[in-house]
Amino acid sequence: MGWTDERVELLKKLWQDGLSASQIAKQLGGVTRNAVIGKVHRLGLSGRATPSKPARTVFKAPRPARPVAAAPSAPRRIAEPVAHAPHPAPARYVDETPGTATVLTLGAHMCKWPIGDPSLDNFTFCGRRAGDGPYCHEHSQVAYQPAQAKKRSGPAELARSLRRYI
């Protein structure tokens, strides 16, 4: 079925009313949704009524509470500080032998050097007290090697590097 003048006018009216392309295709009959979309683009129909959208709720941060002005009736009484005897913190037992920490017991300041094969059940981490980084002093020395001094470039090194360009 072709696009007659009456069908094009009906298409324009339905498009301006905000109907979807599939709804217009059903009302016109004999055309597909894609045919309606193609005809709309060829006609250059862009000014379309927007479908109704539910209003989005905007959440605002609550305002801070206003300070309540105290009535200048009676002077306030300042309580004397109570001297509490400091309670000693419970001593935590930290095992300083390497290989005692698991993934579940590894803490923030414990050495994270892996010990063993990760695919085996007896895989552990060092677990000793870590220094500035993730490892204890001994494992830091293994992990962080000093930079090696570069080779001095002599005539032999210069000739070797120039051969790449010849």
Side-chain angles (χ1 to χ4, degrees), residues 58-112:
V58 178
F59 294 102
K60 293 183 180 179
R63 289 186 177 179
R66 291 184 181 175
V68 178
S73 56
R76 288 191 291 165
R77 181 181 257 178
I78 299 175
E80 293 181 20
V82 179
H84 292 287
H87 296 289
R92 291 185 356 182
Y93 174 73
V94 178
D95 192 1
E96 287 292 324
T97 57
T100 56
T102 64
V103 172
L104 299 175
T105 61
L106 197 60
H109 300 289
M110 296 173 77
C111 178
K112 294 162 182 67

Side-chain angles (χ1 to χ4, degrees), residues 24-39:
I24 295 171
K26 283 181 187 175
Q27 284 198 9
L28 290 175
V31 291
T32 63
R33 171 186 164 275
N34 286 337
V36 170
I37 293 172
K39 189 64 173 176

Side-chain angles (χ1 to χ4, degrees), residues 3-164:
W3 288 103
T4 62
D5 289 337
E6 301 101 31
R7 290 170 62 87
V8 171
E9 291 303 318
L10 182 58
L11 167 69
K12 289 179 181 179
K13 179 190 173 301
L14 295 174
W15 185 256
Q16 291 299 326
D17 290 344
L19 270 69
S20 68
S22 57
Q23 291 171 334
I24 295 171
K26 283 181 187 175
Q27 284 198 9
L28 290 175
V31 291
T32 63
R33 171 186 164 275
N34 286 337
V36 170
I37 293 172
K39 189 64 173 176
V40 164
H41 286 290
R42 284 190 301 277
L43 292 172
L45 300 177
S46 60
R48 172 187 173 117
T50 57
S52 63
K53 295 180 182 175
R56 297 177 76 187
T57 56
V58 178
F59 294 102
K60 293 183 180 179
R63 289 186 177 179
R66 291 184 181 175
V68 178
S73 56
R76 288 191 291 165
R77 181 181 257 178
I78 299 175
E80 293 181 20
V82 179
H84 292 287
H87 296 289
R92 291 185 356 182
Y93 174 73
V94 178
D95 192 1
E96 287 292 324
T97 57
T100 56
T102 64
V103 172
L104 299 175
T105 61
L106 197 60
H109 300 289
M110 296 173 77
C111 178
K112 294 162 182 67
W113 188 266
I115 298 177
D117 185 7
S119 63
L120 299 177
D121 291 336
N122 61 353
F123 174 71
T124 58
F125 294 93
C126 173
R128 289 186 282 195
R129 185 172 308 280
D132 293 333
Y135 306 122
C136 62
H137 178 70
E138 291 81 16
H139 288 129
S140 291
Q141 288 179 334
V142 176
Y144 305 114
Q145 296 290 320
Q148 300 293 325
K150 291 185 177 182
K151 289 191 245 180
R152 293 202 165 194
S153 51
E157 178 67 26
L158 180 62
R160 187 179 71 78
S161 65
L162 287 176
R163 278 188 219 123
R164 287 186 274 183

